[in-house]
Amino acid sequence: MTPVFHVLQPTPAVPWYIHPAQAPLAWRRLAEGAFGFGFVVVNIENGPGRGPQDPYYREPLARGLATTTVGYVNVGYGQRPWGDVLEQVEQWQRWYGIHDVMLDCVPSQDRQGAWSVEWIDALRRAGVEHVIANPGVVPTRRLVETADVTCVAEAAWQDYAHLQMPEWLQAVSPHKQWHLVHGVPPEHLASVPALAASRGAHFSWATDRGLPNPWDVLPAPYADCHPELVKAR
Protein backbone atom coordinates (compact mmCIF):
# COMPACT_ATOMS: atom_id res chain seq x y z
CA MET A 1 0.00 0.00 0.00
CA THR A 2 2.91 2.35 0.55
CA PRO A 3 3.31 3.77 -3.00
CA VAL A 4 -0.24 5.13 -3.17
CA PHE A 5 0.43 7.46 -0.26
CA HIS A 6 3.31 9.14 -2.07
CA VAL A 7 2.09 9.72 -5.64
CA LEU A 8 2.10 13.39 -6.58
CA GLN A 9 -1.12 14.03 -8.49
CA PRO A 10 -4.50 14.29 -6.68
CA THR A 11 -5.84 10.77 -6.33
CA PRO A 12 -9.38 9.39 -6.04
CA ALA A 13 -10.01 7.31 -2.92
CA VAL A 14 -13.38 5.62 -2.82
CA PRO A 15 -15.86 4.35 -0.23
CA TRP A 16 -16.53 1.18 -2.23
CA TYR A 17 -19.82 0.15 -0.63
CA ILE A 18 -20.90 -1.65 -3.79
CA HIS A 19 -22.06 -5.26 -3.68
CA PRO A 20 -20.28 -7.56 -6.16
CA ALA A 21 -23.56 -9.14 -7.24
CA GLN A 22 -25.03 -5.76 -8.14
CA ALA A 23 -22.07 -4.47 -10.10
CA PRO A 24 -19.87 -7.35 -11.28
CA LEU A 25 -18.31 -5.30 -14.08
CA ALA A 26 -17.29 -2.56 -11.65
CA TRP A 27 -15.64 -5.15 -9.40
CA ARG A 28 -13.88 -6.75 -12.35
CA ARG A 29 -12.44 -3.41 -13.42
CA LEU A 30 -11.46 -2.69 -9.84
CA ALA A 31 -9.62 -6.01 -9.68
CA GLU A 32 -7.75 -5.07 -12.84
CA GLY A 33 -6.81 -1.64 -11.52
CA ALA A 34 -8.55 -0.01 -14.46
CA PHE A 35 -9.93 2.93 -12.49
CA GLY A 36 -6.64 4.28 -11.15
CA PHE A 37 -8.04 4.69 -7.63
CA GLY A 38 -5.60 5.28 -4.80
CA PHE A 39 -7.48 3.03 -2.42
CA VAL A 40 -10.99 1.70 -1.89
CA VAL A 41 -12.77 1.02 1.38
CA VAL A 42 -14.71 -2.26 1.27
CA ASN A 43 -17.79 -2.43 3.48
CA ILE A 44 -19.60 -5.76 3.59
CA GLU A 45 -22.14 -5.34 6.40
CA ASN A 46 -20.93 -2.36 8.39
CA GLY A 47 -17.65 -4.22 8.68
CA PRO A 48 -16.22 -7.55 7.51
CA GLY A 49 -19.61 -9.28 7.43
CA ARG A 50 -20.47 -12.64 8.92
CA GLY A 51 -17.54 -14.64 7.66
CA PRO A 52 -15.50 -15.64 4.63
CA GLN A 53 -18.24 -18.04 3.53
CA ASP A 54 -19.90 -15.16 1.66
CA PRO A 55 -19.00 -16.16 -1.93
CA TYR A 56 -19.74 -12.73 -3.34
CA TYR A 57 -16.87 -11.16 -1.42
CA ARG A 58 -14.67 -14.18 -0.80
CA GLU A 59 -13.91 -14.78 -4.46
CA PRO A 60 -12.88 -11.28 -5.60
CA LEU A 61 -10.98 -10.54 -2.38
CA ALA A 62 -9.25 -13.93 -2.44
CA ARG A 63 -8.10 -13.31 -6.01
CA GLY A 64 -6.76 -9.97 -4.91
CA LEU A 65 -7.43 -6.50 -6.26
CA ALA A 66 -4.94 -4.41 -8.18
CA THR A 67 -6.30 -1.50 -6.14
CA THR A 68 -5.25 -1.01 -2.52
CA THR A 69 -8.06 -2.39 -0.36
CA VAL A 70 -9.07 -1.10 3.06
CA GLY A 71 -11.49 -2.78 5.46
CA TYR A 72 -14.36 -0.79 6.99
CA VAL A 73 -14.82 -0.68 10.78
CA ASN A 74 -17.40 1.55 12.48
CA VAL A 75 -16.44 2.89 15.92
CA GLY A 76 -19.87 4.47 16.51
CA TYR A 77 -18.59 7.88 17.63
CA GLY A 78 -17.08 6.27 20.71
CA GLN A 79 -20.04 4.02 21.54
CA ARG A 80 -18.37 0.77 20.47
CA PRO A 81 -15.91 -0.81 22.91
CA TRP A 82 -12.31 -1.43 21.93
CA GLY A 83 -12.77 -5.20 22.01
CA ASP A 84 -15.50 -5.10 19.35
CA VAL A 85 -13.43 -2.86 17.09
CA LEU A 86 -10.32 -5.02 17.46
CA GLU A 87 -12.36 -8.16 16.72
CA GLN A 88 -13.55 -6.76 13.40
CA VAL A 89 -10.05 -5.62 12.49
CA GLU A 90 -8.75 -9.12 13.16
CA GLN A 91 -11.58 -10.59 11.06
CA TRP A 92 -10.55 -8.46 8.09
CA GLN A 93 -7.02 -9.75 8.54
CA ARG A 94 -7.94 -13.40 9.09
CA TRP A 95 -10.81 -13.80 6.63
CA TYR A 96 -9.68 -11.62 3.76
CA GLY A 97 -5.99 -10.85 4.29
CA ILE A 98 -6.75 -7.12 4.53
CA HIS A 99 -4.31 -5.29 6.79
CA ASP A 100 -5.41 -1.69 6.23
CA VAL A 101 -8.53 -0.36 7.93
CA MET A 102 -10.76 2.68 7.88
CA LEU A 103 -12.28 3.65 11.20
CA ASP A 104 -15.60 5.30 10.40
CA CYS A 105 -17.71 7.52 12.67
CA VAL A 106 -14.61 8.54 14.59
CA PRO A 107 -15.11 11.28 17.20
CA SER A 108 -13.41 14.53 16.36
CA GLN A 109 -11.89 14.63 19.85
CA ASP A 110 -8.92 12.60 21.10
CA ARG A 111 -11.16 10.92 23.67
CA GLN A 112 -14.91 10.40 23.64
CA GLY A 113 -16.81 7.52 25.20
CA ALA A 114 -14.79 4.37 24.63
CA TRP A 115 -12.79 6.00 21.83
CA SER A 116 -9.20 7.09 22.26
CA VAL A 117 -6.83 8.32 19.59
CA GLU A 118 -4.38 5.87 21.13
CA TRP A 119 -6.37 3.10 19.44
CA ILE A 120 -4.57 3.96 16.21
CA ASP A 121 -1.16 2.97 17.51
CA ALA A 122 -2.71 -0.05 19.25
CA LEU A 123 -4.07 -1.22 15.89
CA ARG A 124 -0.64 -0.90 14.34
CA ARG A 125 0.73 -3.12 17.09
CA ALA A 126 -2.03 -5.59 16.20
CA GLY A 127 -0.73 -5.84 12.65
CA VAL A 128 -2.63 -3.07 10.87
CA GLU A 129 -0.38 -1.46 8.27
CA HIS A 130 -2.30 1.76 7.64
CA VAL A 131 -5.12 3.35 9.63
CA ILE A 132 -7.53 5.75 7.94
CA ALA A 133 -9.81 7.74 10.23
CA ASN A 134 -13.11 9.26 9.18
CA PRO A 135 -14.59 11.80 11.56
CA GLY A 136 -16.07 13.55 8.52
CA VAL A 137 -15.02 16.93 9.93
CA VAL A 138 -11.73 18.48 10.97
CA PRO A 139 -10.72 16.73 14.20
CA THR A 140 -7.89 17.49 16.59
CA ARG A 141 -4.44 18.00 15.17
CA ARG A 142 -3.19 15.01 17.15
CA LEU A 143 -5.66 12.70 15.41
CA VAL A 144 -4.72 13.97 11.95
CA GLU A 145 -1.03 13.56 12.68
CA THR A 146 -1.49 10.07 14.21
CA ALA A 147 -3.62 8.48 11.49
CA ASP A 148 -2.11 7.71 8.10
CA VAL A 149 -5.02 9.44 6.33
CA THR A 150 -7.96 11.35 7.81
CA CYS A 151 -11.20 12.29 6.10
CA VAL A 152 -11.35 15.88 7.30
CA ALA A 153 -14.42 16.73 5.21
CA GLU A 154 -17.43 14.61 4.30
CA ALA A 155 -20.16 16.93 3.13
CA ALA A 156 -22.92 17.68 0.69
CA TRP A 157 -21.88 19.81 -2.27
CA GLN A 158 -23.97 22.77 -1.15
CA ASP A 159 -21.87 22.92 2.03
CA TYR A 160 -18.57 21.81 0.56
CA ALA A 161 -18.59 24.45 -2.17
CA HIS A 162 -18.10 27.14 0.50
CA LEU A 163 -16.16 25.12 3.05
CA GLN A 164 -13.16 26.75 4.69
CA MET A 165 -10.45 24.64 6.31
CA PRO A 166 -8.51 25.75 9.40
CA GLU A 167 -5.15 27.34 8.79
CA TRP A 168 -3.18 24.72 10.74
CA LEU A 169 -4.12 22.03 8.20
CA GLN A 170 -1.88 23.78 5.67
CA ALA A 171 1.10 22.47 7.62
CA VAL A 172 -0.16 18.87 7.35
CA SER A 173 0.88 16.76 4.37
CA PRO A 174 -1.82 16.59 1.68
CA HIS A 175 -1.26 12.81 1.61
CA LYS A 176 -2.79 12.65 5.08
CA GLN A 177 -6.01 14.40 4.03
CA TRP A 178 -9.12 13.04 2.28
CA HIS A 179 -12.32 14.79 1.21
CA LEU A 180 -15.66 13.11 0.40
CA VAL A 181 -18.41 15.08 -1.34
CA HIS A 182 -21.92 13.86 -2.18
CA GLY A 183 -24.88 15.37 -3.96
CA VAL A 184 -22.61 17.06 -6.51
CA PRO A 185 -24.33 18.35 -9.66
CA PRO A 186 -22.96 16.30 -12.58
CA GLU A 187 -21.46 19.39 -14.22
CA HIS A 188 -19.30 19.99 -11.13
CA LEU A 189 -18.03 16.43 -10.53
CA ALA A 190 -14.86 16.88 -12.55
CA SER A 191 -13.89 20.00 -10.60
CA VAL A 192 -13.90 18.41 -7.14
CA PRO A 193 -10.39 16.82 -7.20
CA ALA A 194 -8.74 20.16 -8.00
CA LEU A 195 -10.91 21.95 -5.45
CA ALA A 196 -10.00 19.39 -2.78
CA ALA A 197 -6.33 19.70 -3.68
CA SER A 198 -6.53 23.49 -3.39
CA ARG A 199 -7.84 22.94 0.15
CA GLY A 200 -5.00 20.64 1.05
CA ALA A 201 -6.37 17.15 0.35
CA HIS A 202 -4.46 14.73 -1.85
CA PHE A 203 -7.27 12.15 -1.71
CA SER A 204 -10.87 12.91 -2.68
CA TRP A 205 -14.03 11.40 -4.07
CA ALA A 206 -17.22 13.00 -5.33
CA THR A 207 -20.57 11.59 -6.36
CA ASP A 208 -23.83 12.92 -7.70
CA ARG A 209 -25.62 10.50 -5.40
CA GLY A 210 -27.21 11.81 -2.23
CA LEU A 211 -28.09 10.62 1.24
CA PRO A 212 -28.87 8.25 2.92
CA ASN A 213 -26.12 6.22 1.20
CA PRO A 214 -24.23 8.11 -1.50
CA TRP A 215 -21.53 5.46 -1.80
CA ASP A 216 -23.43 2.30 -2.85
CA VAL A 217 -23.35 3.18 -6.56
CA LEU A 218 -20.58 4.80 -8.58
CA PRO A 219 -21.29 8.33 -9.84
CA ALA A 220 -22.58 9.23 -13.26
CA PRO A 221 -19.21 9.18 -15.12
CA TYR A 222 -18.90 5.45 -14.27
CA ALA A 223 -22.46 4.52 -15.30
CA ASP A 224 -21.27 1.97 -17.83
CA CYS A 225 -19.95 -0.16 -14.94
CA HIS A 226 -23.40 -0.94 -13.60
CA PRO A 227 -26.13 0.20 -16.00
CA GLU A 228 -28.72 -1.97 -14.22
CA LEU A 229 -28.35 0.22 -11.12
CA VAL A 230 -28.30 3.48 -13.05
CA LYS A 231 -31.71 2.58 -14.52
CA ALA A 232 -33.09 2.35 -11.01
CA ARG A 233 -31.93 5.84 -10.03
Side-chain angles (χ1 to χ4, degrees):
M1 188 169 180
T2 302
V4 75
F5 290 104
H6 299 284
V7 292
L8 297 178
Q9 67 272 21
T11 301
V14 186
W16 188 264
Y17 304 169
I18 301 166
H19 197 282
Q22 292 181 305
L25 178 57
W27 272 83
R28 189 156 59 249
R29 291 185 179 175
L30 181 70
E32 296 166 352
F35 294 125
F37 296 155
F39 63 83
V40 297
V41 180
V42 174
N43 182 1
I44 298 178
E45 291 180 21
N46 253 357
R50 303 175 186 177
Q53 69 271 17
D54 185 335
Y56 291 111
Y57 286 93
R58 183 186 66 234
E59 293 177 10
L61 292 176
R63 286 196 302 266
L65 304 178
T67 305
T68 298
T69 308
V70 179
Y72 176 98
V73 177
N74 191 321
V75 304
Y77 296 108
Q79 298 303 306
R80 294 193 70 194
W82 163 250
D84 289 359
V85 171
L86 181 60
E87 180 182 20
Q88 286 203 331
V89 169
E90 291 174 340
Q91 287 168 345
W92 279 115
Q93 295 172 327
R94 187 168 66 253
W95 295 346
Y96 298 109
I98 291 176
H99 295 273
D100 302 303
V101 298
M102 184 191 83
L103 303 179
D104 196 20
C105 299
V106 169
S108 59
Q109 302 302 310
D110 291 343
R111 295 181 183 276
Q112 181 174 312
W115 159 259
S116 169
V117 70
E118 294 169 1
W119 286 12
I120 296 173
D121 285 331
L123 289 175
R124 293 189 179 112
R125 291 192 294 272
V128 174
E129 294 177 5
H130 296 89
V131 179
I132 299 168
N134 182 18
V137 297
V138 178
T140 66
R141 184 164 188 159
R142 181 184 177 193
L143 197 158
V144 173
E145 292 176 344
T146 303
D148 293 285
V149 176
T150 301
C151 180
V152 295
E154 181 172 356
W157 170 252
Q158 61 187 17
D159 299 317
Y160 185 77
H162 308 288
L163 188 66
Q164 293 187 346
M165 309 307 288
E167 203 169 304
W168 64 262
L169 269 179
Q170 297 176 15
V172 175
S173 168
H175 290 79
K176 293 176 73 68
Q177 301 181 55
W178 183 25
H179 290 184
L180 295 172
V181 192
H182 53 80
V184 181
E187 65 271 20
H188 291 298
L189 281 170
S191 68
V192 172
L195 180 57
S198 73
R199 294 172 173 173
H202 175 76
F203 296 107
S204 64
W205 183 245
T207 180
D208 54 331
R209 301 272 292 180
L211 296 173
N213 187 0
W215 318 122
D216 60 350
V217 176
L218 289 172
Y222 300 87
D224 63 317
C225 293
H226 41 192
E228 69 286 355
L229 291 183
V230 173
K231 290 176 184 176
R233 289 184 171 189

